[in-house]
Amino acid sequence: MTMPASGPETAPATGFASAMGWSPPAGWPACSYDRCRDILTAPGQRLETETIAIRGVPTRVWKNAPDNLRALLALARTHGQREFVIYEGERVTYDAFHRAVARLAQEMRERGVGKGDRVGLAMRNLPEWPVAFFATEALGAICVPLNAWWTGAELAFGLADSGARLLICDEERWLRILPHRDEMPALEHVLVSRTGAETSVDHPAERLEAVIGAPDAWSSLPDADLPDADIAPDDEATIFYTSGTTGKPKGALGTHRNLLTNIFSSAYSAACAALRRGEVPPEPTHKVGLLVIPLFHVTACSASLMGNLAAGNTLVFMHKWEPVEAFAIIERERVNVTGGVPTIAWQLIEHPERVNYDLSSIEAVAYGGAPSAPELVRRIYTEFGALPGNGWGMTETMATVTSHGGEDYLNRPSSCGPPVAVAELRIMDPEGKRELPCGEVGELWAKGPMVVKGYWNRPDATAETFVDGWVRTGDLARLDEEGFCYIVDRAKDMILRGGENIYSSEVENVLYDHPAVTDAALVGIPHRTLGEEPAAVVHLAPGEQASESELQQWVADRLARFKVPVRVIFSAAILPRNANGKILKSELKKLFAA
């Protein structure tokens, strides 16, 4: 690989970076982002790109990405006896994982599951989750990962809406679904993991262990090949349901290419960071990751699971997130990478028990799914001794569109990074007719091989959201002169006070900068003449104190007066979030009506 001969003078720190006390090292960046892209994606390089037609739209893609998820499984099989998943006392190698996938896929084939059929998947993060997912994908069927936090009625909706023929779930989800069994006429077979309960005579379910055994026994299954299936890169692979914070969730219909794009996007981002330092991108090395976000979310399934499988990394699952237990796991398994959503990163930093554990193995704390405060970026670097990382994506983009890490994130802590080499961004006016110039705030549109086909059985919503290969994200954002993206707010979360726009993330970032605040959200509350006014809900760090007037003055010292919260409510717990890490602002608004 050709390295840049020399770089520009040291870049100045951005305003936020300077405020945090971080200055770029001498000679950084050694390479512009445009030059990084040219080097890494050139013909003959591993990360080479090409332009092809996807659904009639010219689209840049990673030339060397696997054709489908069966190909990824074949690659994962070569990792052999390396550990793939650790869950409590269970340890599953890549070889054992493949044996279980092949056995389950064969059983599913015998039950009539084939290309295009939908298979529901509803369970917490267990070793069985990726087995069920990849067995489905290996057949060319469509996996429907359902939100394990949903109620029985919500789970039944997802199964009925997708028309799932087979459901693979754990006992807790099955007991929720069972009372609604008659609402899912297409459902023919149910396989339940880790169950000791008797199932209904009228609606029988079978134990998953009767097919593949318990995880500790997977290594004893026959070493079989996958059943035959013909799968193209743009064949349908998944239906991930959107958050559904308003109205019924919509099923985003993803493809094999969507999922596999993340593998190369992650590799590209890591290589860019090295070139920016003036270093040759290193060869991949084995890593251990603590995965604490749900696999039914695209950040965990697509952005994390795919790349870790390709690299042969080890993933540690937790039964339930608990900071002290996470510290013990990090120490015991020598975890290198963790994160998920900003709330988890905050808890890792703020928890008083942190000092009692050896966390020196941590190299990176990365997250997505929700905006983060610039203060978090600094504290990961200075207190945790790790490089911070984040990115931006959504269910409709199957995760990664922009990626941000290392020195670039420290230098632009309020950005979610530049687009990866196969992605394009636009900032559009409210009508979607005109692209806005650099620096102006408008709706973010994204394009690339990670954008899903559309919404399952929702042609109306598909036509509104997907336009000639672009997805209208509903996020308000701006781009700087180097293409770095700054998410300003969700369009629907913007507060309009007497004709003045208030972007909640701007005020939230200022609140996060206060040393006592570890969680914050700004919402609009009704006002008779102004329409609405800003109000805040905050959660304070353990042992810290702050008053409403103190926080109001803190914001007033840094932002225009009309942006200062007229009320501040203190929450004893971290703020409520959905499974994707997004704060449930509709719940917070109720606090001000009380």
Side-chain angles (χ1 to χ4, degrees), residues 305-330:
L305 182 59
M306 300 301 133
N308 279 292
L309 265 171
N313 292 333
T314 299
L315 290 176
V316 185
F317 295 169
M318 295 182 71
H319 180 78
K320 183 179 180 181
W321 167 250
E322 202 286 313
V324 176
E325 177 61 22
F327 294 146
I329 290 173
I330 293 168

Side-chain angles (χ1 to χ4, degrees), residues 71-91:
L72 176 57
L73 264 175
L75 174 59
R77 191 178 189 180
T78 67
H79 300 311
Q81 296 306 313
R82 181 175 288 172
E83 288 183 334
F84 169 42
V85 171
I86 299 170
Y87 175 71
E88 297 187 334
E90 301 168 358
R91 309 180 87 87

Side-chain angles (χ1 to χ4, degrees), residues 373-432:
E375 174 69 6
L376 177 60
V377 183
R378 179 189 67 82
R379 295 190 65 178
I380 288 172
Y381 182 65
T382 59
E383 297 182 31
F384 215 53
L387 288 174
N390 86 340
W392 175 86
M394 57 194 304
T395 306
E396 289 84 349
T397 67
M398 200 61 72
T400 308
V401 176
T402 73
S403 187
H404 208 18
E407 292 85 357
D408 270 303
Y409 194 9
L410 290 164
N411 196 47
R412 287 179 169 94
S414 56
S415 170
C416 60
V420 297
V422 294
E424 299 175 57
L425 300 178
R426 282 179 179 171
I427 305 297
M428 301 295 288
D429 69 2
E431 291 75 33

Side-chain angles (χ1 to χ4, degrees), residues 327 348-349 351-359:
F327 294 146
L348 288 173
I349 290 172
H351 203 286
E353 289 293 311
R354 175 167 66 94
V355 296
N356 297 324
Y357 294 86
D358 178 6
L359 309 181

Side-chain angles (χ1 to χ4, degrees), residues 214-237:
D216 287 341
W218 292 348
S219 59
S220 300
L221 291 168
D223 185 13
D225 291 330
L226 299 169
D228 292 335
D230 183 17
I231 305 171
D234 294 307
D235 282 349
E236 296 161 355

Side-chain angles (χ1 to χ4, degrees), residues 222-572:
D223 185 13
D225 291 330
L226 299 169
D228 292 335
D230 183 17
I231 305 171
D234 294 307
D235 282 349
E236 296 161 355
T238 55
I239 298 173
F240 279 93
Y241 281 90
T242 58
S243 302
T245 52
T246 59
K248 290 287 188 183
K250 298 185 290 290
L253 184 60
T255 67
H256 286 256
R257 191 191 304 277
N258 292 158
L259 288 148
L260 294 165
T261 290
N262 275 299
I263 299 173
F264 279 66
S265 294
S266 296
Y268 174 80
S269 300
C272 268
L275 288 179
R276 298 275 280 175
R277 297 186 195 107
E279 301 171 355
V280 175
E283 291 298 316
T285 58
H286 176 253
K287 303 293 184 183
V288 178
L290 175 60
L291 185 67
V292 296
I293 49 177
L295 283 163
F296 60 74
H297 179 34
V298 292
T299 299
C301 178
S302 187
S304 180
L305 182 59
M306 300 301 133
N308 279 292
L309 265 171
N313 292 333
T314 299
L315 290 176
V316 185
F317 295 169
M318 295 182 71
H319 180 78
K320 183 179 180 181
W321 167 250
E322 202 286 313
V324 176
E325 177 61 22
F327 294 146
I329 290 173
I330 293 168
E331 181 179 77
R332 182 174 67 249
E333 303 295 344
R334 305 306 296 158
V335 169
N336 308 118
V337 181
T338 191
V341 293
T343 303
I344 288 172
W346 275 117
Q347 290 183 46
L348 288 173
I349 290 172
E350 295 284 356
H351 203 286
E353 289 293 311
R354 175 167 66 94
V355 296
N356 297 324
Y357 294 86
D358 178 6
L359 309 181
S360 60
S361 61
I362 290 291
E363 300 169 5
V365 179
Y367 41 82
S372 61
E375 174 69 6
L376 177 60
V377 183
R378 179 189 67 82
R379 295 190 65 178
I380 288 172
Y381 182 65
T382 59
E383 297 182 31
F384 215 53
L387 288 174
N390 86 340
W392 175 86
M394 57 194 304
T395 306
E396 289 84 349
T397 67
M398 200 61 72
T400 308
V401 176
T402 73
S403 187
H404 208 18
E407 292 85 357
D408 270 303
Y409 194 9
L410 290 164
N411 196 47
R412 287 179 169 94
S414 56
S415 170
C416 60
V420 297
V422 294
E424 299 175 57
L425 300 178
R426 282 179 179 171
I427 305 297
M428 301 295 288
D429 69 2
E431 291 75 33
K433 303 295 185 183
R434 181 173 63 91
E435 185 172 359
L436 301 179
C438 173
E440 288 198 23
V441 173
E443 185 183 9
L444 179 65
W445 289 31
K447 178 187 175 186
M450 67 288 292
V451 175
V452 303
K453 278 189 169 183
Y455 295 120
W456 176 259
N457 286 341
R458 291 289 302 274
D460 53 340
T462 297
E464 292 174 3
T465 305
F466 300 91
V467 182
D468 297 328
W470 294 86
V471 57
R472 303 184 61 164
T473 72
D475 281 337
L476 296 176
R478 62 180 176 86
L479 302 176
D480 69 15
E481 65 282 355
E482 290 189 84
F484 282 72
C485 180
Y486 297 76
I487 303 295
V488 176
D489 213 341
R490 287 293 295 173
K492 64 184 179 183
D493 285 342
M494 185 179 69
I495 299 166
L496 186 61
R497 181 189 184 276
E500 296 288 347
N501 293 339
I502 302 174
Y503 301 121
S504 60
S505 62
E506 180 185 26
V507 181
E508 288 162 0
N509 282 342
V510 170
L511 288 168
Y512 273 119
D513 284 340
H514 190 283
V517 175
T518 61
D519 211 6
L522 195 76
V523 298
I525 58 175
H527 187 276
R528 187 172 62 86
T529 57
L530 296 173
E532 57 183 350
E533 288 187 305
V537 182
V538 301
H539 170 65
L540 301 181
E544 296 287 346
Q545 292 184 340
S547 66
E548 179 181 50
S549 60
E550 178 184 347
L551 293 181
Q552 288 171 324
Q553 188 60 49
W554 177 269
V555 176
D557 290 343
R558 291 158 176 81
L559 296 175
R561 293 293 308 187
F562 72 86
K563 300 178 182 180
V564 176
V566 296
R567 292 183 60 190
V568 178
I569 289 178
F570 294 89
S571 171

